[in-house]
Amino acid sequence: MNKKDDYNKTLSAEQKAKLRRIRHLALDLDGTIYMENNIFPFTIPTLDTLKANGVDHSFLTNNPTKSVGDYISKLARMGIDCPVANMYTTPIATIDYIKKAYPEVRRLFMLGTPSMQEQFVAAGFEACADDPDDVPDMLIVAFDTTLVYPRLCRAAWWAKQGIPYIATNPDWVCPTDARTILVDCGSLQKCIEAATGRKPDKVMGKPDPTMLDGIRDRNGLQPDEIAMVGDRIYTDIEMGRRAGAVSVLVLSGETTLEKALEVGTADFICRDLEELGDLILESRKD
């Protein structure tokens, strides 16, 4: 593993103690483990080394475009084995929330990929058509790479009618190494708000701590034994803060060092996952 960068050369006794307590990494995917379809070369060696030293991991993502099975298959193609119980997605969190908070809801109008919509149908919900006479019980807005303009207009129409409205995640854009901008769910919410004056009743996904709470409970951990690792301040780092976990901002995705130092909300700023692995292992040599 490489030499640490300047901003992590001096760690306080408190920071070292935090690192020593970490037993589990809650790992964002895009920008942390891989960039779109390209795994970072340090990912697998770092995860293997940490696991051999008693630090396990789970994956969680705000990207709802794929099902749990899709993500597990994608990770497998990259050489990472991930049990179903160790993958958390915003559609799963949204489904659980609807069943608890809106038990009467069955019919949904969804902005989302076919893969995402299939998850809701498999969970017992009905997908409504783009038809003013096919009235839904609830509007779901997600990051939708298959979005067409008429469906966006229909979503705005249902938002204007005042039915319950849930968004799967707040992200403005999705990280990519392509020469484009992937407009994400947060931007779609702003579009609908501008057209109708309506904001979602609930925004799921990071920074909402629900998925991180699930990792804590399933693994029998204390909040400060979990490190929330991701590349976004307003989702990953804020989620860690709300859940009482250790927050680690990696600079392998969206956020620059200048922005990270300006905001200053993360417990640790690391060049990437590899550097975090260095810090955890070094903290245990003291």
Side-chain angles (χ1 to χ4, degrees):
M1 296 183 180
N2 298 329
K3 184 178 179 181
K4 300 186 296 298
D5 294 303
D6 290 346
Y7 45 90
N8 273 331
K9 278 188 174 177
T10 303
L11 294 177
S12 67
E14 180 183 2
Q15 285 178 308
K16 290 179 180 179
K18 283 185 177 182
L19 289 166
R20 281 193 295 270
R21 280 190 57 78
I22 294 171
R23 295 292 179 269
H24 199 99
L25 304 183
L27 297 164
D28 173 54
L29 291 174
D30 283 310
T32 302
I33 298 300
Y34 54 69
M35 184 64 76
E36 201 163 358
N37 292 310
N38 300 309
I39 190 168
F40 295 128
F42 51 76
T43 295
I44 293 176
T46 301
L47 294 180
D48 288 346
T49 299
L50 288 174
K51 192 164 186 177
N53 283 271
V55 181
D56 208 345
H57 57 269
S58 297
F59 301 103
L60 66 166
T61 178
N62 268 10
N63 188 332
T65 59
K66 300 177 179 66
S67 68
V68 168
D70 290 335
Y71 277 113
I72 290 174
S73 296
K74 180 174 182 175
L75 289 171
R77 291 193 297 272
M78 295 179 173
I80 299 175
D81 177 45
C82 176
V84 172
N86 284 8
M87 174 58 69
Y88 296 79
T89 68
T90 52
I92 297 301
T94 303
I95 288 167
D96 290 344
Y97 175 77
I98 295 172
K99 288 185 174 181
K100 181 177 180 180
Y102 297 89
E104 73 286 356
V105 165
R106 289 291 178 271
R107 296 168 48 76
L108 307 174
F109 184 81
M110 294 178 275
L111 294 190
T113 62
S115 180
M116 188 208 79
Q117 294 192 42
E118 287 167 7
Q119 292 178 82
F120 283 85
V121 172
F125 297 99
E126 179 183 344
C128 294
D130 180 6
D131 183 338
D133 295 322
D134 195 6
V135 182
D137 301 320
M138 177 177 284
L139 169 65
I140 305 293
V141 171
F143 175 32
D144 186 359
T145 56
T146 63
L147 181 62
V148 293
Y149 183 69
R151 290 190 64 83
L152 177 60
C153 295
R154 184 63 57 206
W157 169 256
W158 291 128
K160 188 70 172 179
Q161 306 316 301
I163 65 172
Y165 167 20
I166 295 178
T168 59
N169 57 291
D171 305 68
W172 299 106
V173 298
C174 182
T176 180
D177 52 8
R179 290 183 294 179
T180 189
I181 292 177
L182 300 180
V183 176
D184 209 326
C185 184
S187 298
L188 296 181
Q189 293 166 49
K190 279 297 181 182
C191 179
I192 292 172
E193 180 184 349
T196 68
R198 178 89 184 275
K199 295 181 179 180
D201 302 316
K202 173 77 172 178
V203 180
M204 303 297 299
K206 299 173 287 184
D208 184 278
T210 301
M211 289 188 289
L212 208 53
D213 291 344
I215 290 174
R216 177 200 64 203
D217 295 342
R218 290 189 187 187
N219 292 280
L221 299 166
Q222 296 300 313
D224 64 351
E225 292 178 318
I226 302 172
M228 178 61 231
V229 186
D231 67 311
R232 293 181 172 186
I233 295 170
Y234 65 98
T235 56
D236 301 311
I237 300 311
E238 179 62 15
M239 181 190 203
R241 186 191 69 79
R242 293 186 188 185
V246 178
S247 59
V248 181
L249 180 70
V250 291
L251 304 177
S252 50
E254 177 180 303
T255 304
T256 63
L257 175 59
E258 292 72 22
K259 184 64 175 180
L261 294 175
E262 175 189 336
V263 176
T265 54
D267 292 314
F268 297 93
I269 301 170
C270 294
R271 178 190 65 249
D272 48 38
L273 181 64
E274 181 181 37
E275 186 182 13
L276 173 61
D278 278 343
L279 294 175
I280 292 173
L281 295 179
E282 288 182 18
S283 74
R284 298 181 179 194
K285 295 178 182 178
D286 296 343

